[in-house]
Amino acid sequence: MKQPKRSAQKRITTTSKILRFMRMSRRIPMREAGARNGISYSSINHYEQGRMDISPDRLQQLVESYGYTMQDFDEYKAGKPLPVLSIKD
């Protein structure tokens, strides 16, 4: 039996929520985020929707391209509350 693709499964993680918050808080569209990082906007979407795993190097690249530091990321990961940016969140 064929296993489902990883991209067909959502696993919303703390990391994916933080990445979405960081991008949206700076009002960076997915297409711009992809262009800043040399990847497709669909990859940005997959990272934020938990459909694609993210390497530590790519994580740092994204965080810094959004104007944050890994220290900021680590604080959110440790439990600092994420502000609500929209009703969808």
Side-chain angles (χ1 to χ4, degrees):
M1 184 186 288
K2 198 173 184 182
Q3 285 192 338
K5 290 182 179 180
R6 171 69 174 93
S7 62
Q9 303 169 356
K10 273 190 177 184
R11 262 188 266 152
I12 304 291
T13 64
T14 303
T15 297
S16 60
K17 289 178 186 177
I18 295 169
L19 282 175
R20 178 177 164 79
F21 160 75
M22 288 181 163
R23 180 184 60 77
M24 291 183 67
S25 70
R26 300 292 199 238
R27 295 190 169 117
I28 301 169
M30 281 188 191
R31 288 189 190 276
E32 184 180 330
R36 286 183 183 195
N37 292 284
I39 58 177
S40 67
Y41 77 93
S42 62
S43 291
I44 300 293
N45 187 25
H46 282 323
Y47 290 140
E48 292 181 6
Q49 295 298 316
R51 290 189 167 112
M52 197 160 76
D53 295 326
I54 186 166
S55 71
D57 291 339
R58 177 70 74 196
L59 176 63
Q60 183 172 353
Q61 178 186 19
L62 290 172
V63 167
E64 291 174 357
S65 77
Y66 298 157
Y68 287 92
T69 65
M70 285 307 292
Q71 182 178 348
D72 296 324
F73 178 85
D74 291 339
E75 287 175 7
Y76 287 118
K77 186 88 173 180
K80 180 179 175 183
L82 290 172
V84 176
L85 298 176
S86 72
I87 294 172
K88 288 182 181 180
D89 295 338

